[in-house]
Amino acid sequence: PSSRLFVDRRSHPNEQYLFIDNENAAYGIPVISGFESLLPRSFYLAVPHFASDSTMPAKLLGLLNVKYILTGPSSHLPGDEFQLIDSGKWRLWMNEMPVRRVWISDHIIDSPNDSITLSKLMGSSYDPRDVIFSNENHQSLPLRPATSIAKATITEEEPESVSIETSCEHPGYLILSDTYYPGWKSFVDGRESEIHRANYAMRAVYLEPGQHNVQFVFDPISFRIGALISLISLVGVLSLGVGMI
């Protein structure tokens, strides 16, 4: 329940798919391959096919909080990165690379555009401690220390809010692999803080050294406008009804 699944849907066009588009949502299964809203379509379409590309970056899937990969029976994934834990009509693999949904990065890489960002994320030299910004205004960070202890733990989660307890010895960015999307707000120790778009499609919040409570809350202006319109409409209907009595 705390990790995502990658379903290799496109490598075997003649085989029956386990999920039709968005069917996983009905069962509460977070899948990054499909037409769901966990990640932008342009992001997961850039992820290489398992069957045709043996260099599938397990490291990147770990950053996306993907622990399990479901493929057809003819797929073979690198044994040093993926463990086959069940086989038959379908094969279920476990990602051996570190899997995370939230972490703290303490080194910034600037990228001129999203295409370059994607190529960096998928490169074998990418360090998960790096955070990549594409044409994004951000705080500068001091040189990375030789050793740095930083922790981030999700303490509470609802469909429209996420609470995270953090601790860091040096300034850094809290990275949440959930999709960067308008309408989300962040609060650090109760004070609103800017959400940056990091690593192409993730959320990043700047943190000073120390212990912090970080909250992400979905509060889109469109919802408030809709509520106001509904209230005005309701008042109008009631007024009309009273006038007809």
Side-chain angles (χ1 to χ4, degrees):
S2 61
S3 299
R4 292 174 180 163
L5 174 75
F6 185 102
V7 180
D8 185 12
R9 301 155 51 104
R10 296 163 290 167
S11 299
H12 308 277
N14 295 326
E15 295 178 356
Q16 180 181 359
Y17 290 145
L18 179 62
F19 294 125
I20 60 174
D21 294 343
N22 284 327
E23 184 182 11
N24 57 286
Y27 297 95
I29 302 174
V31 178
I32 73 163
S33 51
F35 296 97
E36 73 293 308
S37 59
L38 286 173
L39 288 170
R41 185 171 183 269
S42 56
F43 190 103
Y44 65 72
L45 285 181
V47 177
H49 295 179
F50 282 111
S52 61
D53 190 343
S54 60
T55 62
M56 178 63 200
K59 188 188 304 181
L60 174 58
L61 289 179
L63 290 178
L64 298 175
N65 194 31
V66 175
K67 188 171 185 177
Y68 298 101
I69 301 93
L70 191 66
T71 72
S74 58
S75 291
H76 296 277
L77 306 186
D80 58 338
E81 297 180 345
F82 301 96
Q83 177 186 351
L84 180 63
I85 59 176
D86 194 12
S87 61
K89 181 178 179 181
W90 297 86
R91 288 188 173 186
L92 184 64
W93 307 77
M94 185 172 66
N95 189 0
E96 298 279 57
M97 294 294 175
V99 175
R100 65 191 77 192
R101 182 181 172 194
V102 59
W103 69 98
I104 296 177
S105 291
D106 55 13
H107 183 253
I108 291 174
I109 295 178
D110 289 306
S111 172
N113 55 60
D114 287 340
S115 296
I116 298 297
T117 298
L118 279 176
S119 64
K120 288 181 179 295
L121 287 171
M122 295 180 184
S124 59
S125 61
Y126 175 68
D127 185 343
R129 290 179 63 187
D130 296 336
V131 55
I132 305 177
F133 291 113
S134 304
N135 297 320
E136 178 87 9
N137 293 324
H138 53 73
Q139 293 272 36
S140 59
L141 297 179
L143 293 176
R144 174 186 292 172
T147 58
S148 176
I149 299 176
K151 298 180 180 179
T153 305
I154 295 177
T155 57
E156 187 176 352
E157 181 178 8
E158 299 291 339
E160 296 180 350
S161 65
V162 181
S163 296
I164 304 169
E165 294 293 335
T166 70
S167 175
C168 52
E169 295 181 335
H170 303 274
Y173 277 90
L174 174 70
I175 310 298
L176 182 66
S177 65
D178 294 10
T179 307
Y180 176 91
Y181 190 80
W184 282 96
K185 295 181 178 180
S186 68
F187 299 86
V188 178
D189 300 327
R191 301 181 64 178
E192 187 168 358
S193 180
E194 182 180 1
I195 299 178
H196 301 268
R197 184 170 69 92
N199 295 345
Y200 186 92
M202 301 177 187
R203 306 177 204 166
V205 175
Y206 176 75
L207 295 178
E208 294 285 355
Q211 296 181 343
H212 303 283
N213 173 265
V214 182
Q215 288 186 312
F216 291 90
V217 179
F218 189 59
D219 184 25
I221 189 172
S222 58
F223 177 82
R224 298 198 296 272
I225 294 175
L228 178 61
I229 293 174
S230 298
L231 178 60
I232 294 175
S233 300
L234 178 60
V235 171
V237 170
L238 292 176
S239 299
L240 180 62
V242 171
M244 295 177 63
I245 296 177

